[in-house]
Amino acid sequence: MSQVRASLPTRRGILTAGGVLGLGAVLAACGDDDASAKGGSDKGADAASGPWSFKDDRGETVKLDEAPKNIVAFTGAAAALHDYGVQVKGVFGPTTTKDGKPDVQAGDMDVSKVEVIGNVWGEFNVEKYAALKPDLLVSTMFDGAGTLWYVPEESKDQIAKFAPSVGISVFDVQLTQSLERTAALAEALGADMKAAAVVEAKKKFEDAAARLKAAAKARPEIKVLAGSASAELFYVSTYNLSIDLEYYKALGVNIVEPDAKAIEESGGWFESLSWENVDKYKADVIIMDDRAQAIQPADIDEATWKKLPAVKAGQVIARSPEPILSYAKCTPLLNNLAEAIENAKKVA
């Protein structure tokens, strides 16, 4: 995907346009399941010995006779659950790169130990999914309509027959809310939220947030631009809608805001610039999309990019537009941005 964010239809269109494999045919399979119902919420180890329920961010409640054991999840969601000690059977979404290495969105998961039922946009092998005998499907949601990320539109109804689903919103909320909701799901699935490592990870995140807030307050003049690169275009993200940028803005980070009309045309997420116009906005620090579908800064050959003051000053760092929603994985994002702002030269 060659962008920072888009409304869901726009995101899908750009995924295809950006060079990621387009929508592919998904193998058919038959089956049914006792789908979701409405109810309360059980937590942690208590759920393992009795009825289990969880209310997701669509307002839908999954009810099962016992805690789900065969979980299939979007790669990033699976990586977050892994950090809490919850393992999944299968994943869909960017899992391995072209050279077979774990994708950045796979986090610390051992990708050789999960069934990959789809590695790129539009891939979701329904036969493999059914063979896993899933109890629960987990994904994130980038719109207000409850669309499950990386679940193909053309096969979503068939996929839904095998197991109920849980959606965690990453749309127009701050990072902390999505973190809290993911932690709640992990706890419901049996994670020990009082474990020393989990408690320490949350404390480190809070410390990193305090550091970023202090850095932003001390250096309000430092302008931060969120970008993503494709062969043809450079995308400048608005802080609105994106969970990380909304949170950074709330902490006081001076985020460059692109043109309102251009943002509206993109569905509310970003402005597209030709490489000739990549210098339209002045920035002291540039945070760049770290996903595999985006061209990474070291591989950008455009002369106009190399002439940007922030680039010349070496003030370009990675950004995770789809952060792995565990405190452990989000803490470095905050610390890296805080450090960049603390040490930035005013070049814009």
Side-chain angles (χ1 to χ4, degrees), residues 95-139:
T95 307
T96 58
T97 58
K98 292 180 180 179
D99 58 6
K101 296 180 180 179
D103 187 272
V104 65
Q105 295 192 61
D108 293 332
M109 279 195 304
D110 184 343
V111 297
S112 69
K113 294 183 179 179
V114 293
E115 182 72 51
V116 181
I117 62 176
N119 193 49
V120 298
W121 186 258
E123 278 188 358
F124 193 111
N125 190 314
V126 182
E127 287 186 346
K128 285 186 178 181
Y129 180 60
L132 290 173
K133 298 182 179 179
D135 299 316
L136 187 70
L137 182 147
V138 178
S139 191

Side-chain angles (χ1 to χ4, degrees), residues 155-217:
S155 54
K156 66 177 184 179
D157 292 338
Q158 184 182 11
I159 292 167
K161 293 179 180 179
F162 295 100
S165 61
V166 163
I168 299 296
S169 179
V170 289
F171 173 74
D172 200 19
V173 295
Q174 291 185 20
L175 176 62
T176 45
Q177 180 173 327
S178 299
L179 280 168
E180 289 166 2
R181 293 295 293 140
T182 303
L185 175 60
E187 183 176 22
L189 292 170
D192 181 4
M193 306 310 288
K194 295 182 180 180
V198 175
V199 173
E200 182 181 11
K202 186 174 183 180
K203 177 62 168 57
K204 286 183 176 179
F205 175 86
E206 293 168 348
D207 291 344
R211 178 186 179 184
L212 180 55
K213 184 175 182 179
K217 184 177 181 180

Side-chain angles (χ1 to χ4, degrees), residues 207-216 219 248 253 285 287 317 331-344:
D207 291 344
R211 178 186 179 184
L212 180 55
K213 184 175 182 179
R219 304 293 307 278
Y248 300 161
V253 176
V285 173
I287 54 177
I317 65 171
T331 295
L333 306 180
L334 273 62
N335 277 326
N336 291 344
L337 180 54
E339 181 179 10
I341 293 173
E342 290 164 353
N343 298 329

